[in-house]
């Protein structure tokens, strides 16, 4: 059986978008389809979505996934920024 989906709210929708955006940013950086500056702006949106205090369990779960993804993304951004400075 599938898991029940929480009713939509702006908070949940922002977090869902951020969760989906992180792999897009990672692949865009890996394929050089995103500049580090553009990726940083996209990551800033993801970070913004986690700044609230969450009371719904699903929101907490999504926020944790976003924060974990952002930690990995910071490494990729630092490598991409270094690479772009050397060229």
């Amino acid at each position: 059986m599938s898991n029940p989906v929480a009713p939509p709210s702006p908070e949940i929708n922002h977090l869902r978008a951020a969760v989906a955006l992180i792999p897009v940013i990672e692949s865009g950086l890996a394929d050089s389809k995103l500049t580090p500056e553009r990726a940083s702006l996209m990551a800033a949106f993801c970070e913004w979505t986690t700044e609230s205090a969450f009371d719904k369990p699903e929101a907490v779960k999504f926020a944790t996934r976003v924060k974990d993804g952002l930690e990995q993304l910071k490494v990729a951004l630092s490598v991409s920024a270094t690479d772009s400075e050397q060229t």
Side-chain angles (χ1 to χ4, degrees), residues 16 22-23 30 42 44 47 56 74-75 78 81 83 85-86:
R16 283 182 181 145
I22 289 174
M42 295 166 79
E47 188 170 6
K56 297 178 184 171
K74 286 179 184 179
V75 173
S78 65
D83 289 346
E85 289 174 0
Q86 292 177 358

Side-chain angles (χ1 to χ4, degrees), residues 2-87:
S2 63
N3 292 335
V5 177
S9 69
E11 168 185 89
I12 295 289
N13 288 339
H14 291 150
L15 288 166
R16 283 182 181 145
V19 167
L21 190 57
I22 289 174
V24 172
I25 299 168
E26 290 173 335
S27 68
L29 286 171
D31 298 342
S32 298
K33 292 183 179 181
L34 281 177
T35 64
E37 295 80 19
R38 173 73 89 164
S40 293
L41 289 173
M42 295 166 79
F45 165 77
C46 295
E47 188 170 6
W48 169 78
T49 65
T50 65
E51 291 177 354
S52 298
F54 304 108
D55 55 350
K56 297 178 184 171
E58 187 174 20
V60 172
K61 180 182 78 171
F62 282 138
T64 302
R65 288 176 60 189
V66 171
K67 288 177 183 178
D68 292 345
L70 285 171
E71 288 301 315
Q72 294 175 343
L73 200 56
K74 286 179 184 179
V75 173
L77 280 169
S78 65
V79 169
S80 293
T82 304
D83 289 346
S84 67
E85 289 174 0
Q86 292 177 358
T87 56

